[in-house]
């Protein structure tokens, strides 16, 4: 089954404790992206990657890091989480070329105390 | 700055009625306009999409209307059903380059039986 898998789905952590949200896709997609969803703000892009070792900032990259060492994986790293990073996070992937469908994971709800 | 403005924020419709969600954009370089549907606890999923060379696209009960001169597009859901209750996001992108999607703020639709 074609899917984007995120882990963990739920996480409560404390300010400053580094965490990683993993994302993996099994569709051989070149493009992957992270979004955060907040009430009244919709989906905002954090980082994206056009291919292995190619990453770039989205609209709200502050406080986040990403890496793309393998095609299927695109982890989101919060080096020193703060309460304003409490949000619902989505990983997504699609084929590189054209206006293809973006496939989303089921989301990771992060709470930073 | 919100690249795509969406209204209303929430919408309640009787079963069998028509649901209408509106979006507006400023960037005339946008050339791909998808709508995503999100059920609680799930990631968004592509519902329907349109390119600016047509003014309307219909798939079943869902229709996108597109007004290029006004830089507006809307989603119409005919014969709305309780199963349509979800959050709907409009989006826009430029198909060349990274083709990053810019999302609206979302509309929570509730269809009352």
């Amino acid at each position: 089954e074609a899917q984007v898998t995120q882990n963990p789905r739920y996480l409560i952590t404390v300010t400053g404790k580094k965490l990683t949200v993993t994302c993996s896709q099994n569709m051989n997609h070149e493009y992957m992206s992270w979004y955060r969803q907040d009430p009244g703000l919709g989906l905002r892009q954090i980082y994206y990657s056009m291919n292995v070792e190619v990453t770039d900032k989205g609209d709200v990259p502050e406080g986040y890091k990403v890496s793309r060492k393998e095609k299927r994986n695109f982890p989101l790293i919060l080096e020193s989480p703060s309460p304003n990073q409490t949000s619902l996070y989505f990983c997504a992937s699609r084929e590189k070329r054209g206006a293809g469908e973006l496939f989303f994971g089921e989301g990771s709800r992060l709470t930073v105390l | 700055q919100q690249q795509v403005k969406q209204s209303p924020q929430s919408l309640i419709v009787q079963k069998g009625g028509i649901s209408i969600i509106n979006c507006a954009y400023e960037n005339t370089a946008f050339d791909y306009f998808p709508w995503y549907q999100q059920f609680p606890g799930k990631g968004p999923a592509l519902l329907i999409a349109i390119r600016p060379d047509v003014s309307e696209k219909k798939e079943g009960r869902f229709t996108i209307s597109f007004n290029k001169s006004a830089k507006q597009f809307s989603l119409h859901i005919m014969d709305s059903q309780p199963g349509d209750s979800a959050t709907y996001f409009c989006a826009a992108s430029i198909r060349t380059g990274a083709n990053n999607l810019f999302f609206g703020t979302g509309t929570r639709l509730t269809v009352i039986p």
Side-chain angles (χ1 to χ4, degrees), chain A residues 85-103:
Chain A
Q85 292 179 298
T86 292
S87 187
L88 178 59
Y89 291 88
F90 287 100
C91 181
S93 74
R94 64 164 166 79
E95 294 178 354
K96 182 177 179 179
R97 290 184 175 78
E101 177 178 357
L102 199 55
F103 292 87

Side-chain angles (χ1 to χ4, degrees), chain B:
Chain B
Q1 182 185 357
Q2 196 74 33
Q3 297 250 15
V4 180
K5 295 191 170 115
Q6 182 171 348
S7 64
Q9 190 171 353
S10 62
L11 182 61
I12 300 174
V13 174
Q14 291 273 353
K15 178 182 175 182
I18 302 173
S19 304
I20 301 174
I21 304 170
N22 300 301
C23 286
Y25 63 97
E26 287 298 324
N27 189 346
T28 54
F30 286 146
D31 58 2
Y32 176 64
F33 302 90
W35 285 87
Y36 279 75
Q37 180 188 53
Q38 182 184 30
F39 292 107
K42 300 293 185 182
L46 179 66
L47 180 64
I48 187 173
I50 197 169
R51 295 179 183 178
D53 51 341
V54 297
S55 60
E56 186 175 281
K57 183 173 181 180
K58 185 176 181 179
E59 289 184 2
R61 296 183 294 107
F62 299 90
T63 299
I64 300 178
S65 296
F66 184 78
N67 186 329
K68 190 173 182 178
S69 61
K71 292 184 284 187
Q72 295 175 348
F73 58 111
S74 59
L75 177 69
H76 295 235
I77 305 174
M78 311 299 287
D79 186 27
S80 298
Q81 299 296 312
D84 297 330
S85 297
T87 298
Y88 293 81
F89 292 97
C90 61
S93 72
I94 303 168
R95 282 178 288 162
T96 55
N99 188 25
N100 291 322
L101 277 176
F102 295 93
F103 286 88
T105 49
T107 297
R108 178 174 287 186
L109 171 65
T110 303
V111 181
I112 301 171

